[in-house]
Amino acid sequence: MIRSISIAFAAFALTACVSVLPEPEAPEGLYRFGAMTQTYPVEAVVAVREPEASRLFGGRVIASEDSAGALRLVRGVEWSDNASRLMQVAMLDALDDSGAGVGVALGTGARADYELVWRIEDFTLAGTRARCGLEATLVQANTRKVVAQKTITSTADAAASSNASRALALAEAGRACVGQVAGFVSEKAVAPEPETEPDA
């Protein structure tokens, strides 16, 4: 009997604790990058990885750096998907098929000539200024030999001090970064040498 009362009391106490926990705050707005305004042709098949990133830079939250250098989450705004995934999709959008090649998502099973390995080094706000920093490395898919590497940065200023305007500025900075990487890939991913038939 005492054991039954103890279990019931423990269950009631646990329920009471759960009921006073704060509800997760729903964002006021979800943001995405939108379509790329400029696209770049490629002469080879390029497999695009989802960029590597810390959870703060590559997740759904948006962070801002204060005057003391501390990063704080911006309330009320989030990305519609992980920022790293949004960048991958934007890159695939930026590499058009007007050339002999195409950009494909890594993992589709398509045979690629090159692979884009990239990392988000910064994707934050500082007041009303949005900042994006990426390091991009193009490697040969079969040999893993590094073809070229480039560090890219971009900034954009928000039209207003609201969190919504700041999120839009960060999306603009992200698109600009992706566009620069797409231009880098377009330049460096040259057409592969044609395969020669072995002599009979």
Side-chain angles (χ1 to χ4, degrees):
M1 179 68 177
I2 294 175
R3 182 179 178 187
S4 300
I5 294 173
S6 299
I7 292 173
F9 179 76
F12 173 77
L14 183 60
T15 305
C17 289
V18 171
S19 65
V20 299
L21 291 176
E23 291 289 328
E25 186 177 343
E28 297 171 9
L30 297 175
Y31 294 85
R32 56 185 179 177
F33 281 18
M36 297 294 292
T37 56
Q38 184 175 357
T39 59
Y40 300 82
V42 283
E43 299 302 318
V45 179
V46 180
V48 178
R49 285 177 175 266
E50 185 172 338
E52 299 174 1
S54 68
R55 292 177 62 186
L56 188 62
F57 295 161
R60 295 185 60 170
V61 299
I62 294 175
S64 179
E65 185 177 5
D66 63 20
S67 58
L71 291 173
R72 302 178 185 278
L73 301 185
V74 180
R75 299 183 63 180
V77 291
E78 285 185 5
W79 297 118
S80 59
D81 199 349
N82 287 342
S84 56
R85 173 61 180 158
L86 293 176
M87 284 195 178
Q88 182 189 31
V89 171
M91 178 60 64
L92 294 170
D93 188 28
L95 297 176
D96 65 40
D97 58 358
S98 62
V102 68
V104 295
L106 186 72
T108 58
R111 182 178 176 184
D113 304 301
Y114 298 92
E115 187 177 315
L116 174 62
V117 182
W118 48 332
R119 182 174 69 250
I120 304 173
E121 297 188 326
D122 187 18
F123 197 45
T124 56
L125 294 163
T128 56
R129 171 153 290 191
R131 309 174 302 192
C132 176
L134 300 172
E135 183 180 80
T137 304
L138 189 69
V139 301
Q140 290 181 346
N142 55 347
T143 65
R144 311 307 298 168
K145 179 182 177 182
V146 173
V147 176
Q149 190 173 67
K150 188 171 185 177
T151 299
I152 287 166
T153 61
S154 68
T155 60
D157 292 317
S161 59
S162 68
N163 289 345
S165 292
R166 296 165 75 206
L168 290 172
L170 193 56
E172 182 183 343
R175 281 195 304 273
C177 260
V178 169
Q180 290 184 62
V181 176
F184 159 75
V185 171
S186 176
E187 177 187 353
K188 300 298 183 181
V190 298
E193 293 291 333
E195 295 183 3
T196 57
E197 294 291 335
D199 295 333

